Amino acid sequence: IDWQTNHKLWVNTCQVSPNSHNAWNNIGDDYDKLAALETTNEGKMKQYFNAIKGFNQSYVVKPNYADAYHNQANIFYKIKRLDLARSTYEKAISLNTGLYQTYFTLIQMDLYEKNEKELLKHLSEVQKLKPNDLQVAYISAVAYSQIGMTKEAKEITDIMYKQFPNVPEIKSLYESLSQIKPNNESIEKK
């Protein structure tokens, strides 16, 4: 068996252990990494397609394996198939509500699609999962500021800035929110 590269290792592992959901998930991850090395769009898409197949086989072997759905959704997101990304992320969190990273991407998609209702739902869920997490607080403040919930954004940012005044991203957010007067404007609700 030729295991000279990580990719060959996972190809061989999938051949030897075709019922290993972890092996299929790992080969999907490896194809994703290979896509990043490709110099042409055609090459990237070929690797992404292989990644999608790997993740698909992972949850065929283990249908309730949320990580494979999350990872496959990441590929759909990268290839701008937001419809498939959203439904696959939703499947992942239906299987494992603790996948907080899934909420981060859904929040990005909600902002992009101007879907305030879903945005607020996803923010609430991730805040429950990680109530004292700095990254969650920062994402919440940014999201609130983008939908016109300036008061909420400022409250979170004030707390973060008091604790971490030298973190450039927090300082920048604090300074830009300090320039905004509170208002009740928000993005169009769906």
Side-chain angles (χ1 to χ4, degrees):
I1 300 177
D2 181 8
W3 290 354
Q4 293 177 347
T5 67
N6 203 39
H7 182 70
K8 289 179 182 180
L9 168 67
W10 290 119
V11 168
N12 288 324
T13 302
C14 289
Q15 289 171 349
V16 172
S17 302
N19 292 322
S20 169
H21 67 282
N22 285 322
W24 287 108
N25 188 62
N26 288 339
I27 201 165
D29 280 338
D30 198 58
Y31 277 118
D32 182 24
K33 291 173 188 164
L34 290 173
L37 301 174
E38 290 288 339
T39 57
T40 67
N41 192 50
E42 183 179 334
K44 285 183 189 304
M45 293 305 287
K46 179 180 177 187
Q47 300 298 357
Y48 285 144
F49 181 71
N50 286 330
I52 289 167
K53 290 192 304 187
F55 297 130
N56 188 70
Q57 189 59 34
S58 179
Y59 62 72
V60 164
V61 171
K62 186 174 180 181
N64 63 346
Y65 188 47
D67 289 359
Y69 286 98
H70 170 85
N71 293 336
Q72 187 180 61
N74 285 341
I75 303 300
F76 289 138
Y77 185 79
K78 287 177 182 181
I79 64 172
K80 300 184 184 352
R81 285 300 312 268
L82 299 185
D83 56 332
L84 294 174
R86 180 175 292 282
S87 63
T88 310
Y89 282 130
E90 294 288 352
K91 177 68 175 179
I93 58 176
S94 77
L95 295 170
N96 180 355
T97 57
L99 284 174
Y100 70 92
Q101 305 92 329
T102 301
Y103 290 104
F104 290 163
T105 309
L106 284 168
I107 290 165
Q108 288 178 322
M109 292 172 64
D110 297 336
L111 283 168
Y112 176 77
E113 296 171 351
K114 299 182 186 316
N115 190 337
E116 188 173 323
K117 180 181 175 188
E118 287 297 302
L119 171 69
L120 293 173
K121 178 181 96 174
H122 293 134
L123 281 170
S124 174
E125 291 300 319
V126 79
Q127 289 164 352
K128 287 179 206 168
L129 284 173
K130 299 186 74 86
N132 299 313
D133 186 85
L134 182 61
Q135 186 177 17
V136 170
Y138 181 80
I139 288 170
S140 297
V142 169
Y144 288 145
S145 71
Q146 289 187 15
I147 63 170
M149 294 177 66
T150 308
K151 180 182 175 210
E152 292 82 352
K154 283 184 175 185
E155 288 172 359
I156 294 169
T157 305
D158 288 347
I159 293 167
M160 288 189 301
Y161 186 69
K162 286 176 186 167
Q163 294 176 345
F164 305 99
N166 296 321
V167 174
E169 295 84 0
I170 293 172
K171 184 177 182 181
S172 175
L173 182 60
Y174 177 81
E175 289 171 352
S176 51
L177 285 172
S178 296
Q179 305 294 321
I180 300 173
K181 294 182 180 180
N183 61 40
N184 293 325
E185 294 175 16
S186 65
I187 60 177
E188 182 180 320
K189 294 183 182 181
K190 286 190 175 182

Short mmCIF file of all heavy atoms in Angstrom, two decimals, residues 116-150:
data_model
loop_
_atom_site.label_atom_id
_atom_site.label_comp_id
_atom_site.label_asym_id
_atom_site.label_seq_id
_atom_site.Cartn_x
_atom_site.Cartn_y
_atom_site.Cartn_z
N GLU A 116 -33.55 38.67 8.47
CA GLU A 116 -33.43 39.07 9.87
C GLU A 116 -34.03 38.03 10.83
O GLU A 116 -33.46 37.76 11.89
CB GLU A 116 -34.09 40.42 10.09
CG GLU A 116 -33.83 40.99 11.46
CD GLU A 116 -34.34 42.41 11.61
OE1 GLU A 116 -34.27 43.21 10.66
OE2 GLU A 116 -34.82 42.71 12.72
N LYS A 117 -35.14 37.44 10.46
CA LYS A 117 -35.78 36.45 11.34
C LYS A 117 -34.85 35.27 11.61
O LYS A 117 -34.66 34.87 12.76
CB LYS A 117 -37.10 35.98 10.70
CG LYS A 117 -37.83 34.96 11.53
CD LYS A 117 -39.12 34.52 10.83
CE LYS A 117 -39.80 33.42 11.61
NZ LYS A 117 -40.93 32.85 10.88
N GLU A 118 -34.28 34.71 10.55
CA GLU A 118 -33.36 33.58 10.71
C GLU A 118 -32.08 34.02 11.42
O GLU A 118 -31.53 33.28 12.24
CB GLU A 118 -33.03 32.95 9.36
CG GLU A 118 -34.16 32.15 8.77
CD GLU A 118 -34.54 30.95 9.63
OE1 GLU A 118 -33.67 30.09 9.89
OE2 GLU A 118 -35.71 30.87 10.05
N LEU A 119 -31.61 35.21 11.10
CA LEU A 119 -30.40 35.73 11.75
C LEU A 119 -30.58 35.79 13.26
O LEU A 119 -29.73 35.30 14.02
CB LEU A 119 -30.07 37.13 11.21
CG LEU A 119 -28.96 37.88 11.94
CD1 LEU A 119 -27.61 37.22 11.71
CD2 LEU A 119 -28.93 39.33 11.53
N LEU A 120 -31.68 36.36 13.71
CA LEU A 120 -31.92 36.47 15.14
C LEU A 120 -32.07 35.10 15.80
O LEU A 120 -31.61 34.88 16.92
CB LEU A 120 -33.13 37.36 15.41
CG LEU A 120 -32.94 38.84 15.02
CD1 LEU A 120 -34.25 39.60 15.15
CD2 LEU A 120 -31.84 39.48 15.85
N LYS A 121 -32.69 34.16 15.08
CA LYS A 121 -32.83 32.80 15.60
C LYS A 121 -31.45 32.15 15.75
O LYS A 121 -31.13 31.56 16.79
CB LYS A 121 -33.70 31.96 14.65
CG LYS A 121 -33.85 30.51 15.09
CD LYS A 121 -34.70 29.72 14.11
CE LYS A 121 -33.77 29.02 13.16
NZ LYS A 121 -34.41 28.11 12.22
N HIS A 122 -30.60 32.28 14.72
CA HIS A 122 -29.28 31.66 14.77
C HIS A 122 -28.37 32.33 15.80
O HIS A 122 -27.60 31.65 16.49
CB HIS A 122 -28.64 31.66 13.38
CG HIS A 122 -29.36 30.76 12.42
ND1 HIS A 122 -29.68 31.15 11.15
CD2 HIS A 122 -29.84 29.50 12.56
CE1 HIS A 122 -30.32 30.16 10.55
NE2 HIS A 122 -30.43 29.15 11.39
N LEU A 123 -28.47 33.65 15.92
CA LEU A 123 -27.71 34.34 16.96
C LEU A 123 -28.12 33.85 18.35
O LEU A 123 -27.27 33.59 19.21
CB LEU A 123 -27.90 35.86 16.88
CG LEU A 123 -27.11 36.60 15.81
CD1 LEU A 123 -27.59 38.04 15.71
CD2 LEU A 123 -25.63 36.54 16.10
N SER A 124 -29.41 33.73 18.56
CA SER A 124 -29.91 33.26 19.85
C SER A 124 -29.39 31.86 20.19
O SER A 124 -28.96 31.60 21.31
CB SER A 124 -31.44 33.27 19.84
OG SER A 124 -31.95 32.71 21.02
N GLU A 125 -29.40 30.99 19.21
CA GLU A 125 -28.94 29.61 19.43
C GLU A 125 -27.45 29.57 19.77
O GLU A 125 -27.04 28.87 20.69
CB GLU A 125 -29.23 28.73 18.20
CG GLU A 125 -30.69 28.46 17.99
CD GLU A 125 -31.36 27.74 19.15
OE1 GLU A 125 -30.75 26.81 19.71
OE2 GLU A 125 -32.49 28.11 19.51
N VAL A 126 -26.64 30.30 19.02
CA VAL A 126 -25.19 30.26 19.28
C VAL A 126 -24.86 30.96 20.60
O VAL A 126 -23.94 30.56 21.32
CB VAL A 126 -24.38 30.79 18.08
CG1 VAL A 126 -24.35 32.31 18.03
CG2 VAL A 126 -22.96 30.23 18.11
N GLN A 127 -25.62 31.98 20.96
CA GLN A 127 -25.41 32.65 22.25
C GLN A 127 -25.75 31.71 23.41
O GLN A 127 -25.09 31.75 24.45
CB GLN A 127 -26.24 33.93 22.32
CG GLN A 127 -25.73 35.02 21.41
CD GLN A 127 -26.73 36.14 21.17
OE1 GLN A 127 -27.90 36.05 21.57
NE2 GLN A 127 -26.29 37.19 20.50
N LYS A 128 -26.77 30.86 23.23
CA LYS A 128 -27.10 29.87 24.27
C LYS A 128 -25.99 28.82 24.39
O LYS A 128 -25.67 28.38 25.48
CB LYS A 128 -28.42 29.16 23.94
CG LYS A 128 -29.65 30.00 24.15
CD LYS A 128 -30.88 29.19 23.77
CE LYS A 128 -32.01 30.08 23.35
NZ LYS A 128 -33.11 29.32 22.72
N LEU A 129 -25.44 28.42 23.25
CA LEU A 129 -24.40 27.39 23.25
C LEU A 129 -23.11 27.88 23.88
O LEU A 129 -22.44 27.12 24.58
CB LEU A 129 -24.08 26.95 21.81
CG LEU A 129 -25.05 26.03 21.13
CD1 LEU A 129 -24.67 25.83 19.67
CD2 LEU A 129 -25.09 24.69 21.84
N LYS A 130 -22.75 29.11 23.60
CA LYS A 130 -21.47 29.65 24.06
C LYS A 130 -21.67 31.06 24.64
O LYS A 130 -21.23 32.04 24.05
CB LYS A 130 -20.47 29.65 22.92
CG LYS A 130 -20.21 28.24 22.38
CD LYS A 130 -19.15 28.16 21.37
CE LYS A 130 -17.79 28.30 21.89
NZ LYS A 130 -17.09 27.17 22.39
N PRO A 131 -22.32 31.14 25.80
CA PRO A 131 -22.71 32.44 26.33
C PRO A 131 -21.55 33.37 26.72
O PRO A 131 -21.72 34.58 26.71
CB PRO A 131 -23.56 32.09 27.56
CG PRO A 131 -23.14 30.73 27.94
CD PRO A 131 -22.74 30.04 26.65
N ASN A 132 -20.41 32.84 27.02
CA ASN A 132 -19.29 33.68 27.45
C ASN A 132 -18.14 33.68 26.45
O ASN A 132 -17.01 33.98 26.81
CB ASN A 132 -18.79 33.20 28.82
CG ASN A 132 -19.87 33.32 29.87
OD1 ASN A 132 -20.54 34.34 29.97
ND2 ASN A 132 -20.06 32.26 30.64
N ASP A 133 -18.44 33.37 25.22
CA ASP A 133 -17.42 33.26 24.19
C ASP A 133 -17.20 34.61 23.49
O ASP A 133 -18.15 35.24 23.02
CB ASP A 133 -17.85 32.20 23.17
CG ASP A 133 -16.78 31.91 22.14
OD1 ASP A 133 -15.91 31.08 22.44
OD2 ASP A 133 -16.83 32.53 21.06
N LEU A 134 -15.96 35.02 23.42
CA LEU A 134 -15.62 36.31 22.82
C LEU A 134 -15.97 36.35 21.33
O LEU A 134 -16.49 37.35 20.84
CB LEU A 134 -14.13 36.61 23.02
CG LEU A 134 -13.63 37.94 22.48
CD1 LEU A 134 -14.33 39.12 23.16
CD2 LEU A 134 -12.12 38.05 22.67
N GLN A 135 -15.71 35.26 20.62
CA GLN A 135 -16.03 35.22 19.19
C GLN A 135 -17.54 35.35 18.96
O GLN A 135 -17.98 36.07 18.06
CB GLN A 135 -15.50 33.93 18.57
CG GLN A 135 -15.65 33.87 17.06
CD GLN A 135 -15.06 32.61 16.46
OE1 GLN A 135 -14.81 31.63 17.15
NE2 GLN A 135 -14.85 32.63 15.16
N VAL A 136 -18.31 34.69 19.78
CA VAL A 136 -19.78 34.78 19.67
C VAL A 136 -20.23 36.21 19.96
O VAL A 136 -21.08 36.77 19.26
CB VAL A 136 -20.48 33.78 20.60
CG1 VAL A 136 -21.97 34.04 20.68
CG2 VAL A 136 -20.21 32.35 20.14
N ALA A 137 -19.65 36.82 20.99
CA ALA A 137 -20.00 38.20 21.33
C ALA A 137 -19.66 39.14 20.18
O ALA A 137 -20.47 39.99 19.80
CB ALA A 137 -19.28 38.64 22.61
N TYR A 138 -18.49 38.97 19.60
CA TYR A 138 -18.07 39.84 18.50
C TYR A 138 -18.99 39.67 17.29
O TYR A 138 -19.48 40.65 16.72
CB TYR A 138 -16.61 39.52 18.11
CG TYR A 138 -16.11 40.39 16.99
CD1 TYR A 138 -15.68 41.68 17.24
CD2 TYR A 138 -16.07 39.92 15.69
CE1 TYR A 138 -15.23 42.50 16.20
CE2 TYR A 138 -15.62 40.72 14.65
CZ TYR A 138 -15.20 42.00 14.91
OH TYR A 138 -14.76 42.80 13.89
N ILE A 139 -19.26 38.42 16.91
CA ILE A 139 -20.15 38.16 15.77
C ILE A 139 -21.54 38.74 16.04
O ILE A 139 -22.17 39.34 15.16
CB ILE A 139 -20.22 36.65 15.47
CG1 ILE A 139 -18.90 36.20 14.86
CG2 ILE A 139 -21.39 36.31 14.56
CD1 ILE A 139 -18.74 34.69 14.74
N SER A 140 -22.01 38.60 17.27
CA SER A 140 -23.33 39.14 17.63
C SER A 140 -23.35 40.66 17.49
O SER A 140 -24.29 41.22 16.91
CB SER A 140 -23.69 38.75 19.07
OG SER A 140 -23.79 37.35 19.19
N ALA A 141 -22.32 41.31 17.99
CA ALA A 141 -22.27 42.78 17.91
C ALA A 141 -22.23 43.24 16.45
O ALA A 141 -22.94 44.18 16.07
CB ALA A 141 -21.06 43.31 18.68
N VAL A 142 -21.42 42.58 15.64
CA VAL A 142 -21.33 42.95 14.22
C VAL A 142 -22.69 42.73 13.54
O VAL A 142 -23.17 43.60 12.81
CB VAL A 142 -20.22 42.15 13.51
CG1 VAL A 142 -20.30 42.32 11.99
CG2 VAL A 142 -18.85 42.58 14.02
N ALA A 143 -23.29 41.58 13.79
CA ALA A 143 -24.58 41.27 13.16
C ALA A 143 -25.65 42.28 13.59
O ALA A 143 -26.39 42.80 12.75
CB ALA A 143 -25.02 39.84 13.49
N TYR A 144 -25.73 42.55 14.88
CA TYR A 144 -26.70 43.53 15.37
C TYR A 144 -26.48 44.89 14.72
O TYR A 144 -27.44 45.56 14.32
CB TYR A 144 -26.65 43.66 16.89
CG TYR A 144 -27.21 42.49 17.66
CD1 TYR A 144 -26.64 42.10 18.86
CD2 TYR A 144 -28.31 41.77 17.19
CE1 TYR A 144 -27.15 41.03 19.58
CE2 TYR A 144 -28.82 40.70 17.91
CZ TYR A 144 -28.24 40.34 19.11
OH TYR A 144 -28.75 39.28 19.81
N SER A 145 -25.23 45.29 14.60
CA SER A 145 -24.96 46.60 14.00
C SER A 145 -25.39 46.63 12.54
O SER A 145 -25.87 47.64 12.05
CB SER A 145 -23.49 46.98 14.15
OG SER A 145 -22.66 46.19 13.32
N GLN A 146 -25.25 45.51 11.85
CA GLN A 146 -25.59 45.46 10.42
C GLN A 146 -27.10 45.44 10.18
O GLN A 146 -27.54 45.77 9.08
CB GLN A 146 -24.91 44.27 9.75
CG GLN A 146 -23.41 44.48 9.64
CD GLN A 146 -22.74 43.40 8.82
OE1 GLN A 146 -23.38 42.63 8.11
NE2 GLN A 146 -21.43 43.33 8.91
N ILE A 147 -27.88 45.05 11.18
CA ILE A 147 -29.33 45.05 10.97
C ILE A 147 -29.99 46.23 11.68
O ILE A 147 -31.21 46.27 11.82
CB ILE A 147 -29.98 43.71 11.38
CG1 ILE A 147 -29.81 43.43 12.86
CG2 ILE A 147 -29.45 42.58 10.51
CD1 ILE A 147 -30.65 42.24 13.35
N GLY A 148 -29.18 47.16 12.16
CA GLY A 148 -29.74 48.36 12.76
C GLY A 148 -30.08 48.24 14.23
O GLY A 148 -30.70 49.14 14.79
N MET A 149 -29.67 47.17 14.88
CA MET A 149 -29.89 47.02 16.32
C MET A 149 -28.68 47.60 17.05
O MET A 149 -27.93 46.90 17.74
CB MET A 149 -30.14 45.55 16.67
CG MET A 149 -31.43 45.01 16.08
SD MET A 149 -31.71 43.24 16.41
CE MET A 149 -31.93 43.24 18.19
N THR A 150 -28.52 48.91 16.87
CA THR A 150 -27.33 49.60 17.35
C THR A 150 -27.18 49.53 18.86
O THR A 150 -26.08 49.34 19.37
CB THR A 150 -27.37 51.07 16.88
OG1 THR A 150 -27.61 51.08 15.47
CG2 THR A 150 -26.08 51.78 17.18
#
